[in-house]
Amino acid sequence: MAVFYRLSQVTAPKAKGYGKWYPRAVITQTVDTDALAEIMQRNCTVKKSDIVAVITELIETMQDQLQDSKRVKLNGFGSFKIGISGEGANKVDEFSAGKNIKDLHVLFQPEVKKDGNGQRQKTFITGCTVQEAPKNEGKTSKPADNGGSNSGNGGSGSSGSSVTPSDEPDYDQPSGD
């Protein structure tokens, strides 16, 4: 197993890193709750229906706790919290939540542990390898989002593609931005 990547050139003239090539992770498939539960059922004695029920309740409980201004930490996994984006007010008495708060979003921080050398390792990345995604010379269009089983290779026909960050939602943003 490896995380696939494609090279992608930043083509927006005003973007930081304009003209440079960056690796972007290629998503090959989406694994939903039912698929995870199916895999988990094969690895333990709990039934798929029980796993789905627990995950469903976890999501509802996390939503309640996050909306009560709490951080939710799943041991061995990471922490979730609500973040706020907004515009600044010139003076305290000019601030209005309705006017200055623009967006709420969920932030996730993977759990971090120290390895034997004292280096910090994020959960899910420890031992991870990367490799260039296989080329698909005949395909020239972007992958369709058909619920999960798309090829996810971007269909560039070469190891590099020229895109703007919003062109291909199945790719991570370049790390140099």
Side-chain angles (χ1 to χ4, degrees):
M1 281 192 291
V3 172
F4 291 130
Y5 71 89
R6 282 261 187 248
L7 292 178
S8 175
Q9 186 176 34
V10 177
T11 59
K14 294 183 180 182
K16 182 179 177 183
Y18 173 68
K20 291 185 178 181
W21 291 84
Y22 294 93
R24 292 179 124 185
V26 174
I27 305 303
T28 60
Q29 187 176 28
T30 298
V31 182
D32 65 8
T33 303
D34 286 334
L36 287 172
E38 183 70 36
I39 294 165
M40 292 167 70
Q41 174 181 260
R42 290 193 303 259
N43 294 330
C44 65
T45 61
V46 181
K47 291 184 177 183
K48 177 181 173 183
S49 59
D50 294 329
I51 295 168
V52 170
V54 169
I55 292 172
T56 301
E57 183 59 30
L58 174 67
I59 293 166
E60 291 176 19
T61 303
M62 285 179 64
Q63 180 179 355
D64 291 344
Q65 297 303 304
L66 290 168
Q67 291 183 13
D68 194 25
S69 207
K70 295 177 182 172
R71 176 187 309 262
V72 175
K73 180 180 181 206
L74 300 178
N75 297 338
F77 189 79
S79 297
F80 299 82
K81 67 179 182 177
I82 299 288
I84 300 174
S85 298
E87 295 180 1
N90 291 325
K91 298 179 182 177
V92 170
D93 59 352
E94 292 177 359
F95 181 85
S96 161
K99 183 175 86 176
N100 296 92
I101 294 177
K102 300 299 179 190
D103 181 49
L104 299 175
H105 49 274
V106 177
L107 299 168
F108 172 69
Q109 176 65 47
E111 185 166 300
V112 176
K113 295 184 179 185
K114 289 189 178 182
D115 65 13
N117 298 324
Q119 297 289 324
R120 294 168 46 109
Q121 297 290 322
K122 290 182 180 177
T123 301
F124 308 118
I125 297 178
T126 301
C128 186
T129 61
V130 296
Q131 73 181 56
E132 188 170 6
K135 293 169 182 50
N136 187 349
E137 298 298 334
K139 189 172 178 184
T140 59
S141 63
K142 295 178 194 159
D145 183 9
N146 61 4
S149 60
N150 61 23
S151 67
N153 67 6
S156 66
S158 68
S159 66
S161 61
S162 191
V163 298
T164 56
S166 62
D167 283 346
E168 297 179 349
D170 286 338
Y171 289 86
D172 286 341
Q173 294 298 316
S175 60
D177 286 348

